[in-house]
Amino acid sequence: MRYTFGQAEAFYWVARLGGFRAAASHLNLAQPTVSLRVKELERILGGELFDRALYRPVPTTLGSAIYADVERMLAHAEQVQRRSKDALPGRGLLRIGAADSFAALILPDLLAALAARHASLQVDVTVDFSTRLEQLLFDRSIDIAFLSQPRAHEGVTIVPLWLIDLVWVIGRDLPFEGDVATPENLVDLPIFTNSSPSGLFTTIQMWFGTKGLKPHRMNTCNPLTVIARLANAGTGAALIPREMIRVSGDDLALRVLEANPPIPSHNLCAMWWDNKSAAECSYLADLAREISVGLQQ
């Protein structure tokens, strides 16, 4: 008896996400269904795939041995499905992941350019933290991600596009002496930022850590335009890309502070799998870079 695609897919996502509940949520299935599919696959293969005695299911020797093969099989199935969609006129689908700053600054012009050049193309856009976009790409839920500070991963291309200049901002009505932000004079202020483990959250923690400090109040939310407006209200400080000040609204009254110590810039990158869609993703990254250069002129 041969195993089914659904059984292999259930095994992969339990191993990938570390739990039956998480796999069921990802696959939009009931948890008992995922458990049953894995058990059926174990029966067909003649051995247990997970050690269920631990807090989280851990792949056994057999599970670890087949994991890479199942991953390649699922990737191939995705390519086959995409070809069948692309073969239908007007049904091509491109799944783009965009960090908040990229979505605000570049995405509108990028989508307009794609609509003008590829009228039949359908685009699905996900806007989220860079760390979440990275995971979506690894899970093959998106085709390309525009994000900051990505991690290297086997089989994935990362192309740096431009640097993101990060600045501390406060509302003009906030009582604050001077124009220099230091860990010492910001530590008692509410800090508005994206939630952990976002790149901004990590950068803020590291910046305060250079002086052995930790901000007393980290208030988190999304998106960056909202974070800029929270700082504008005059109750705290925010670390945002400098360009976000321009796109957050003409009514903002923000003071930009000089940071001491300086804040390292983030790299905005494009990221995609090295598969048959790589040439399309490279083209999209070049197009995004062209738009960015045009906006700066």
Side-chain angles (χ1 to χ4, degrees), residues 10-69:
F11 158 75
Y12 174 79
W13 286 109
V14 172
R16 182 74 177 84
L17 299 178
F20 286 86
R21 180 179 298 177
S25 177
H26 179 82
L27 295 170
N28 198 26
L29 296 171
Q31 185 174 335
T33 301
V34 173
S35 298
L36 179 60
R37 290 182 180 182
V38 172
K39 287 181 180 179
E40 289 173 344
L41 182 60
E42 289 175 326
R43 180 174 57 82
I44 293 169
L45 297 180
E48 292 188 349
L49 297 172
F50 294 103
D51 182 351
R52 295 172 173 81
L54 303 175
Y55 175 72
R56 301 179 69 179
V58 175
T60 61
T61 301
L62 175 60
S64 298
I66 70 169
Y67 179 84
D69 291 331

